[in-house]
Amino acid sequence: MTTLSGSLLLTFRELWAMRLTQAMLVIASLAWLLLSFALNMDVVEGSMAAVRIFGFDTTPTDGVFNEESGEWVSQALSLDKFLIGINTFVFGAAYFLGTLLGLFATMPLINGFLEHGRIDLLLSKPLSRARLLVGHLTGVWLTVLVLSAYLVGGVWLSLSLKTGIWMPQFLMAIPFITVMFGVMYSVILTISIISRSSGLGLVVTYGLIFLSIILASHDQIVPVLSEGNAAIFMTFYHVLPNFIEVVGVQAQLVEGQVVTTWYPFISSLLFGSVTYGIGFFWFSRRDF
Amino acid sequence: MHPDEGIYVASDISSPVIHISALHKTYATGIRRSKIHALKGVDMQVPAGEVLGILGPNGAGKTTLLKVLLGIVLPTSGEARLFGQPAGDPTARRRLGYLPENHRFPTYLTARQTLDIYGRLADLPDAARKERIPRLLEEVGLASWEDTRVGKFSKGMMQRLGLAQALLNQPEIVVLDEPTDGVDPVGRRDIRDRLRALKQTGTTIVINSHLLSEIELVCDRVLIMHKGRIIRSGTVDELAQQGTGWRIEVDRLPVSFDSTMWPVSLEESRRAILVEDGLPATLNRLIDQLRADGVQILGIERHRASLEAGFIDLITAQEDMP
């Protein structure tokens, strides 16, 4: 247990030493401080009558004239929709920006971990290679979990306290961000172990995220492809991580809808598991 | 030498803590996976308490040998055991300390934090870390730097910290790869003293160093490696003895003296002759010749070649072999 604590501590210290991790923490703090203190909402009968940021009105409360009924109808926003909107925005920002920046930030971490003179020393300690890698991964995952919990949890708590409406499904964003970061991290880590180039790992990982944008449009693209090309396209769709489509799963959860398909999430998880398996195998077999 | 394979076979030792047998390591590099044979059938045994030096030119396979021993590099074939257990077994490494060549500690950690983390990785409990870290920092001369970030350390200070790290778990075997690299003369002496003190406690030490004078001063036994093989093994005296001869100081040498007719070399001043074969008969014949030529002999002394000279001769001879 002491060896694992050493491995974890080393990863935490390394991540903390990176300015980007500290910057993410500051941005998360600013996000929920903004919502806590700068955002004022006038709630009338469950609807948003007005929203003010730093004291300035941001929504009209006069309403619009309905010609059929001949009455002025309030244009106040549904409180539920407002909360869903804010949370979706926070989730989206954390999911895309957080993952892209987070992966970029881990490049020096992996470089440091696999660097000659550092990895030799780590491997000479009385812990197996698998345990060493588990310690490293646990440190990275826990850091992402804490950062996303701090941001999403903080925003959720702040809004819930302000509105009195508690929607715990928003918190599902925390495991989604953490797990999908973990899936994409499997790529950068495994390629770095095999090629000893975290730069290459990062390029491939970003490439897969970009590819997932195209794969997410499979319903529109496949019908216009020939049979052979469609088969190749769908093979990619099933094999590679569906980073973009997972956003839809999360959106359905947040809006309280029934999730139509968990497939993008499950296939991404399988991809991550297989990639980690390859990474562990290479790490246990290669010379340093 | 092994008659067939040119492999040195060490003499039988009753209870070696390091046992290496018929060890081969082949690296495949580049896109074409071209093969580099780093180790070609190495056999070696190290008894408990011995201080062993490993010498060899660059690319001889020294670092690969140490890395196989530590499980950092996996052998292609053959066997490497520590305390009777396979070298890759983590439990065997529990009793081992290692200072790699060009080691890198995280630059944002202080000396104390570095030792704390590496102590944890060595499975040292809290109490042991608390007691040993300040003591070791004191011993390697870094006590006043304990809260300074490692990024500000000089190369020599990094080596000292690396040594402290290697000794944290009070290992029974210490493996040091270029321990005095970048260390100033005073620091080198301190490290030597530390190694001698370790030796007194019965710790087995394996040192890989380019500084032959360091090896000469510390080691009980020396292995010389060349092109993946151990080509010679013995005590420092045994290896240096191979270069033992005589030095004859003279007032002048006649122009007619032909040094190619004798197993000798002349110093540049032509005021001294080095007799290389060390045989008394050669010495006496040469003295007779010199006296016959009217040369005044000012002095004769036993000339003992340094380990460095012995090493260079051996490697040069190996290079010249077909």
Side-chain angles (χ1 to χ4, degrees):
Chain A
M1 203 58 199
T2 316
T3 52
L4 193 62
S5 79
S7 182
L8 271 174
L9 196 59
L10 190 61
T11 311
F12 285 146
R13 297 300 301 244
E14 187 100 45
L15 282 165
W16 182 245
M18 290 174 187
R19 294 281 178 266
L20 199 56
T21 312
Q22 296 174 26
M24 283 178 172
L25 208 61
V26 171
I27 291 167
S29 303
L30 286 175
W32 65 262
L33 281 173
L34 182 81
L35 289 169
S36 300
F37 299 109
L39 184 72
N40 291 307
M41 293 173 286
D42 290 339
V43 179
V44 179
E45 293 176 359
S47 291
M48 296 284 299
V51 176
R52 282 190 294 277
I53 296 175
F54 294 113
F56 297 103
D57 284 338
T58 57
T59 54
T61 54
D62 296 342
V64 290
F65 184 73
N66 188 325
E67 289 181 359
E68 282 181 16
S69 62
E71 291 175 351
W72 284 87
V73 179
S74 168
Q75 199 177 267
L77 203 59
S78 149
L79 192 55
D80 287 1
K81 281 187 179 168
F82 176 76
L83 289 178
I84 287 169
I86 292 256
N87 278 283
T88 304
F89 174 76
V90 171
F91 168 74
Y95 188 73
F96 289 106
L97 279 177
T99 304
L100 292 177
L101 287 175
L103 288 169
F104 183 75
T106 55
M107 206 170 70
L109 177 82
I110 297 172
N111 269 342
F113 179 65
L114 297 173
E115 186 182 26
H116 273 303
R118 182 93 72 90
I119 188 72
D120 319 33
L121 209 47
L122 293 172
L123 292 175
S124 73
K125 298 299 172 194
L127 72 168
S128 67
R129 291 185 177 202
R131 207 174 161 85
L132 183 65
L133 200 54
V134 164
H136 170 84
L137 281 176
T138 310
V140 172
W141 289 341
L142 277 177
T143 306
V144 174
L145 179 68
V146 168
L147 278 173
S148 56
Y150 186 69
L151 173 66
V152 175
V155 168
W156 171 77
L157 190 68
S158 168
L159 288 175
S160 300
L161 287 171
K162 264 187 181 305
T163 60
I165 296 176
W166 298 80
M167 295 175 130
Q169 68 266 29
F170 290 164
L171 297 175
M172 283 301 290
I174 299 168
F176 266 93
I177 292 169
T178 311
V179 168
M180 286 310 290
F181 179 88
V183 168
M184 300 321 292
Y185 190 71
S186 71
V187 180
I188 186 170
L189 182 73
T190 300
I191 290 181
S192 302
I193 289 170
I194 294 171
S195 68
R196 297 200 78 154
S197 164
S198 59
L200 179 66
L202 188 69
V203 168
V204 173
T205 312
Y206 280 178
L208 286 178
I209 290 175
F210 176 74
L211 203 58
S212 75
I213 299 171
I214 300 168
L215 295 175
S217 308
H218 60 97
D219 285 346
Q220 289 83 45
I221 294 173
V222 168
V224 298
L225 295 176
S226 67
E227 200 173 317
N229 287 339
I232 294 169
F233 188 94
M234 287 313 287
T235 304
F236 279 127
Y237 174 76
H238 292 300
V239 170
L240 298 178
N242 302 108
F243 186 77
I244 298 297
E245 277 199 303
V246 169
V247 178
V249 178
Q250 163 68 7
Q252 286 177 327
L253 277 174
V254 168
E255 288 172 22
Q257 298 172 10
V258 177
V259 175
T260 47
T261 173
W262 284 91
Y263 184 77
F265 187 65
I266 292 168
S267 70
S268 300
L269 269 183
L270 280 173
F271 172 86
S273 307
V274 170
T275 313
Y276 275 126
I278 295 168
F280 269 80
F281 177 77
W282 269 88
F283 189 69
S284 66
R285 297 302 308 159
R286 80 160 303 155
D287 298 323
F288 287 97
Chain B
M1 291 274 189
H2 192 282
D4 298 326
E5 298 175 57
I7 298 166
Y8 176 82
V9 182
S11 55
D12 283 335
I13 296 159
S14 56
S15 59
V17 287
I18 297 173
H19 175 97
I20 289 175
S21 167
L23 194 67
H24 288 261
K25 177 64 194 175
T26 304
Y27 293 108
T29 60
I31 297 168
R32 292 186 174 185
R33 313 303 289 159
S34 50
K35 298 210 156 113
I36 296 171
H37 300 283
L39 297 175
K40 300 170 185 170
V42 172
D43 291 80
M44 180 178 107
Q45 294 188 344
V46 183
E50 184 175 73
V51 181
L52 175 74
I54 302 178
L55 294 178
N58 290 336
K62 308 181 299 287
T63 297
T64 300
L65 179 63
L66 296 186
K67 285 190 170 184
V68 170
L69 209 53
L70 293 152
I72 298 166
V73 164
L74 307 175
T76 305
S77 66
E79 189 183 45
R81 288 182 169 271
L82 286 172
F83 307 107
Q85 293 172 296
D89 190 334
T91 52
R93 296 199 292 268
R94 195 173 287 275
R95 298 152 72 186
L96 184 139
Y98 174 50
L99 171 66
E101 184 183 15
N102 296 324
H103 60 276
R104 295 206 190 345
F105 291 125
T107 51
Y108 49 83
L109 295 176
T110 65
R112 193 161 41 80
Q113 288 167 342
T114 302
L115 291 187
D116 183 63
I117 285 181
Y118 283 89
R120 285 170 190 263
L121 287 165
D123 207 13
L124 275 186
D126 287 358
R129 291 199 309 276
K130 274 185 188 156
E131 183 268 319
R132 288 180 206 171
I133 289 171
R135 183 167 52 77
L136 276 167
L137 284 171
E138 181 75 44
E139 282 178 16
V140 298
L142 291 176
S144 56
W145 298 85
E146 64 172 1
D147 291 320
T148 305
R149 287 189 177 196
V150 168
K152 296 191 172 170
F153 279 15
S154 67
K155 182 80 196 290
M157 290 164 81
M158 287 289 274
Q159 287 297 98
R160 287 160 185 256
L161 185 62
L163 184 64
Q165 173 278 138
L167 302 178
L168 253 179
N169 56 332
Q170 295 182 331
E172 291 168 54
I173 300 177
V174 181
V175 178
L176 308 169
D177 201 350
E178 302 291 351
T180 54
D181 191 22
V183 183
D184 61 41
V186 177
R188 284 210 295 273
R189 187 201 59 202
D190 291 347
I191 290 176
R192 273 202 305 272
D193 290 346
R194 183 80 196 113
L195 294 181
R196 286 199 186 103
L198 269 178
K199 186 182 170 183
Q200 295 302 315
T201 64
T203 307
T204 307
I205 305 172
V206 179
I207 308 174
N208 173 18
S209 176
H210 282 104
L211 287 174
L212 280 77
S213 53
E214 297 294 323
I215 297 272
E216 205 165 5
L217 289 166
V218 176
C219 296
D220 299 325
R221 189 161 66 99
V222 178
L223 294 180
I224 298 181
M225 290 190 74
H226 186 60
K227 293 183 179 171
R229 291 194 170 94
I230 295 174
I231 56 170
R232 194 62 56 84
S233 168
T235 63
V236 171
D237 281 343
E238 283 168 355
L239 292 177
Q241 197 72 32
Q242 289 164 10
T244 299
W246 305 92
R247 182 176 181 276
I248 306 171
E249 198 179 341
V250 296
D251 64 338
R252 60 166 182 85
L253 273 177
V255 182
S256 59
F257 181 77
D258 185 0
S259 61
T260 58
M261 302 296 289
W262 298 86
V264 298
S265 57
L266 301 182
E267 287 188 2
E268 243 178 88
S269 63
R270 289 181 63 89
R271 302 284 294 267
I273 305 167
L274 298 174
V275 185
E276 287 159 359
D277 72 4
L279 298 172
T282 309
L283 176 70
N284 283 300
R285 278 196 300 115
L286 182 60
I287 291 170
D288 291 346
Q289 178 66 53
L290 291 170
R291 295 293 299 139
D293 291 344
V295 175
Q296 289 239 12
I297 293 174
L298 304 176
I300 300 173
E301 62 184 356
R302 189 95 187 167
H303 168 68
R304 181 181 177 277
S306 65
L307 179 61
E308 184 167 351
F311 170 75
I312 290 169
D313 286 349
L314 192 59
I315 296 299
T316 309
Q318 288 286 322
E319 296 283 358
D320 292 342
M321 278 170 72

